[in-house]
């Protein structure tokens, strides 16, 4: 049994070293992405409970063009929603952010200072 398990592990390691897999973004103009994230916060001030909130970010991203070094230029619109969890209320739109940034195939982003939130 130990020999079979050792053989399987050796085979898996050998294949993964011989044939490495690299994740890359498929940057094509017109490609669109949607992202959604939720954060929960419990806020205290001077050890006194203030409120409990949830924030939700929704992003709509589109590849506008490819740059000369084959990076993708994105245009994005980010919607920020918030609600108080104690009241069990629905999310309310608080702000909308516009953004432009460049991303290479490995996911590294270059964002100018005017678009950082």
């Amino acid at each position: 049994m130990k020999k079979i398990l050792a053989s399987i592990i050796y085979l898996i390691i050998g294949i993964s070293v011989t044939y490495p897999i690299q994740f890359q973004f498929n940057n094509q103009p017109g490609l669109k992405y949607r992202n959604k994230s939720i954060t929960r916060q419990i806020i205290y001030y001077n050890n006194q409970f203030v409120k409990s909130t949830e924030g939700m970010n929704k992003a709509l991203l589109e590849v506008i063009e490819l740059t000369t070094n084959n990076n993708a230029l994105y245009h994005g619109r980010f919607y920020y929603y918030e609600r108080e969890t104690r009241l069990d209320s629905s999310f309310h739109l608080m702000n909308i952010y516009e953004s432009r940034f460049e991303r290479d195939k490995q996911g590294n982003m270059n964002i100018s200072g005017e678009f950082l939130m």
Side-chain angles (χ1 to χ4, degrees), residues 6-25:
S7 298
I8 292 172
I9 291 173
Y10 180 73
L11 181 65
I12 291 172
I13 292 172
I15 290 173
S16 65
V17 171
T18 307
Y19 301 103
I21 298 172
Q22 183 177 16
F23 175 82
Q24 291 186 345
F25 284 93

Side-chain angles (χ1 to χ4, degrees), residues 43-51:
I43 302 168
Y44 286 87
Y45 182 73
N46 289 333
N47 291 326
Q48 297 292 319
F49 175 79
V50 176
K51 68 178 180 175

Side-chain angles (χ1 to χ4, degrees), residues 16-117:
S16 65
V17 171
T18 307
Y19 301 103
I21 298 172
Q22 183 177 16
F23 175 82
Q24 291 186 345
F25 284 93
N26 184 12
N27 295 330
Q28 295 178 4
L31 197 60
K32 296 180 182 181
Y33 296 94
R34 290 187 301 172
N35 296 327
K36 178 181 173 181
S37 66
I38 295 178
T39 58
R40 293 175 178 85
Q41 299 178 5
I42 299 173
I43 302 168
Y44 286 87
Y45 182 73
N46 289 333
N47 291 326
Q48 297 292 319
F49 175 79
V50 176
K51 68 178 180 175
S52 175
T53 64
E54 286 185 334
M56 177 173 58
N57 286 299
K58 289 185 176 182
L60 302 173
L61 305 171
E62 182 177 4
V63 177
I64 302 298
E65 64 182 83
L66 295 179
T67 61
T68 55
N69 53 357
N70 212 23
N71 291 344
L73 180 63
Y74 282 80
H75 174 262
R77 181 172 286 148
F78 297 84
Y79 299 86
Y80 177 70
Y81 299 84
E82 194 173 275
R83 75 174 178 183
E84 284 200 44
T85 53
R86 254 188 346 177
L87 303 177
D88 198 27
S89 62
S90 59
F91 283 100
H92 298 286
L93 180 62
M94 304 300 284
N95 210 335
I96 299 174
Y97 304 95
E98 296 286 331
S99 181
R100 281 173 114 45
F101 60 92
E102 191 175 309
R103 179 166 69 179
D104 65 13
K105 288 189 176 195
Q106 284 71 41
N108 300 310
M109 291 186 246
N110 184 11
I111 306 170
S112 72
E114 67 184 293
F115 292 117
L116 288 177
M117 294 188 275

